[in-house]
Amino acid sequence: MTPSSEIKIVRQKAFLTQTEFARELSVSYTTVNRWETGKARPNLAAMKSIKEFCGKNGIDYSPLEAAWIDSTVIKD
């Protein structure tokens, strides 16, 4: 899976709109939208916020973490 699809899954598991999810993470709606469409990736600070959100809401963070790490690896 990709980070964008995993972020969407996290948001949907919490039954939140993109706007509500953005508010929870203290980012803009457009930021969440860009993450979910693959036009941008969360930076490390955002990933920490998402991890904290997942912990508070009982959502497994590991698939998103693995996808994010995999997307940062430079491939030949």
Side-chain angles (χ1 to χ4, degrees), residues 10-48:
V10 166
R11 178 181 61 79
Q12 289 175 333
K13 284 184 177 182
F15 300 102
L16 297 175
T17 66
Q18 288 182 342
T19 302
E20 292 165 336
F21 190 52
R23 197 174 302 127
E24 289 286 327
L25 300 176
S26 299
V27 298
S28 70
Y29 153 80
T30 54
T31 297
V32 172
N33 183 266
R34 290 174 48 116
W35 291 343
E36 289 189 9
T37 58
K39 293 179 182 171
R41 270 180 359 115
N43 60 23
L44 189 56
M47 289 298 290
K48 288 179 180 181

Side-chain angles (χ1 to χ4, degrees), residues 9-11 13-14 51 53-62:
I9 290 168
V10 166
R11 178 181 61 79
K13 284 184 177 182
K51 182 176 184 176
F53 173 84
C54 288
K56 289 179 181 176
N57 292 281
I59 298 170
D60 184 13
Y61 173 75
S62 59

Side-chain angles (χ1 to χ4, degrees), residues 2-3 6-7 10 41 44 47 50-51 54 60-72:
T2 63
E6 291 295 343
I7 289 169
V10 166
R41 270 180 359 115
L44 189 56
M47 289 298 290
I50 296 169
K51 182 176 184 176
C54 288
D60 184 13
Y61 173 75
S62 59
L64 171 56
E65 181 180 38
W68 188 81
I69 290 170
D70 187 52
S71 73
T72 63

